[in-house]
Amino acid sequence: MLTALERGVKGGVWFALIDKVWSRSNLPAAFAKVRAKRGAAGGDHQTIGMFAQNLDANLEALSAALRAGTYRPQALRRVYIPKPGSRERRPLGIPTVRDRVVQTALRAVLEPIFERDFAPHSYGFRPQRGCKDALRRVDALLRAGYGYVVDVDLRRYFDSIPHQKLMARVRTRIADGRVLALIESFLKQGVLEGLEEWTPPAGSPQGAVVSPLLSNIYLDPLDHLMAQTGVEMVRYADDLVLLCRSRAEAEAALAQVQNWTAAAGLTLHPEKTRIVDLAAPGGFDFLGYHFERDRRRPERVRRWAREKSVQRLRATLRAWTPRLSGKSLSAIIVSVNRVLRGWFAYFKHTDTRWLFRSLDGWLRRRLRRMLLKRQKKHRRSGLGGLAHRRWPNAFFAAQGLFSLETAHAQACQSATR
């Protein structure tokens, strides 16, 4: 298969693939990836540990069912996660462990085939690519003088992909009927929500292993259309921006996207899809960052963590630092540090240094209130004002609390050496 990928296959269409999916080497490798992600149990309540207890027999049963054509996916378990800064909740579908193994094996076979033709400005859910690569590209284009940005918002993209049109795109490369049937079975997979089970008429469920690949396959023609017309586009899954040098170019690019999405059965959010002139106040958000032109130095575009990203961090830290927490301070700091280090690793390129100082101070104040409560001292007693003296910044530093401000200063020093 690797040789064929390098040389190409006749007509660019693959006919015999199902044996690669159920092969004795692919399924164990797929389970290893599923176990590494440590996901929750699906609708059958079987955990990864339970599946692993009888691993060889479970994998052999999956292989036999795929060979015989009797494999059928089970219903997804529907859960909702909050959207930071909004009252809305994002729906997720959690497949069973057995289905995640099969989807991972299927993706391992399909991904190399479609990767060959994916556009270079697509960064989401692709090997050796990520959010930071997309952000670097946006930053480079802004520095190169692209002053107009078409901020495109696809409304409920994953839930609205038309099944028939998606399968038509898949068939441009895959002709193995059993593989096509397997993909369709995942698209038509039932959803278990409480005691009710229903089948979505469209979309590829968020949470399914194969959904990111299918979402990229469906938007790939748009990627190539923009490239052919000379528009600089940066896309991460369904988050995409078009960078242009003039308003006329931006309006023409937006019209192209509107026409393409309408024909593809997708909908643009009428309020969130807009043309941004970086010469005017406001800027735009992309992948957790906010980009806006510096008013004092108009030739420079600044970037910082957008408000929703900060709210998400604060919400996570609040959960770890309740005033009535029964955990020791050292245990809380270990958990908090894990969150802070991960957040800083992504947002360390923020231009606004005051943000790190502000977040550090906010977290220390929460920890001081927690310590005061443990000593049964209330701020109204007059001791609240002494909390800063009793537990100064140096105290938390000695306890090993991660400082965003200090880490940013060190990162800046390393960058200038």
Side-chain angles (χ1 to χ4, degrees), residues 21-32:
V21 178
W22 54 253
S23 71
R24 297 285 179 90
S25 59
N26 194 12
L27 288 176
F31 173 75

Side-chain angles (χ1 to χ4, degrees), residues 166-398:
L166 171 60
M167 291 305 302
R169 303 265 167 86
V170 174
R171 289 189 182 94
T172 61
R173 290 290 180 268
I174 308 299
D176 187 323
R178 295 172 68 181
V179 170
L180 293 171
L182 186 60
I183 296 172
E184 285 191 281
S185 71
F186 287 123
L187 291 176
K188 297 177 180 179
Q189 203 168 355
V191 176
L192 186 62
E193 190 166 2
L195 299 178
E196 297 183 2
E197 182 175 341
W198 56 280
T199 302
S204 186
Q206 296 186 64
V209 178
V210 77
S211 287
L213 175 60
L214 296 177
S215 71
N216 277 334
I217 291 172
Y218 198 64
L219 287 180
D220 185 58
L222 175 62
D223 296 339
H224 290 285
L225 173 63
M226 293 295 101
Q228 290 168 5
T229 55
V231 176
E232 292 289 352
M233 174 176 168
V234 181
R235 181 174 70 82
Y236 188 95
D238 58 334
D239 291 328
L240 60 102
V241 289
L242 311 174
L243 294 101
C244 308
R245 292 187 179 274
S246 67
R247 175 169 286 278
E249 182 183 348
E251 291 175 348
L254 176 57
Q256 282 187 309
V257 173
Q258 289 172 331
N259 292 334
W260 187 91
T261 52
L266 303 176
T267 305
L268 297 180
H269 197 293
E271 298 176 359
K272 296 181 180 180
T273 299
R274 61 198 179 101
I275 296 177
V276 177
D277 181 359
L278 287 177
F284 68 99
D285 296 335
F286 185 60
L287 297 182
Y289 273 87
H290 179 78
F291 294 85
E292 190 168 338
R293 189 170 298 282
D294 194 324
R295 300 290 161 242
R296 297 180 180 178
R297 299 169 57 187
E299 74 282 359
R300 179 188 178 195
V301 176
R302 302 177 67 196
R303 61 187 181 273
W304 59 84
R306 68 173 186 163
E307 183 58 30
K308 284 187 178 181
S309 302
V310 176
Q311 290 177 6
R312 180 181 299 177
L313 174 65
R314 288 177 182 265
T316 304
L317 294 176
R318 284 192 190 96
W320 283 109
T321 57
R323 193 176 299 184
L324 298 177
S325 174
K327 296 183 179 180
S328 66
L329 179 62
S330 60
I332 292 174
I333 287 178
V334 168
S335 300
V336 164
N337 282 354
R338 191 180 302 114
V339 175
L340 292 172
R341 288 193 177 98
W343 195 86
F344 179 76
Y346 187 78
F347 290 106
K348 63 183 177 182
H349 302 292
T350 291
D351 291 329
T352 51
R353 299 182 181 182
W354 60 265
L355 176 61
F356 299 120
R357 186 184 313 115
S358 173
L359 288 170
D360 281 345
W362 174 83
L363 177 59
R364 286 192 293 261
R365 287 193 295 274
R366 287 192 62 83
L367 293 174
R368 289 188 185 107
R369 286 195 292 267
M370 184 184 68
L371 293 172
L372 278 172
K373 189 67 175 179
R374 289 182 178 182
Q375 293 190 1
K376 298 182 180 180
K377 305 292 185 181
H378 196 274
R379 283 182 294 177
R380 294 181 179 176
S381 66
L383 295 177
L386 300 177
H388 182 78
R389 296 181 185 179
R390 180 173 299 182
W391 298 290
N393 295 354
F395 167 80
F396 294 107

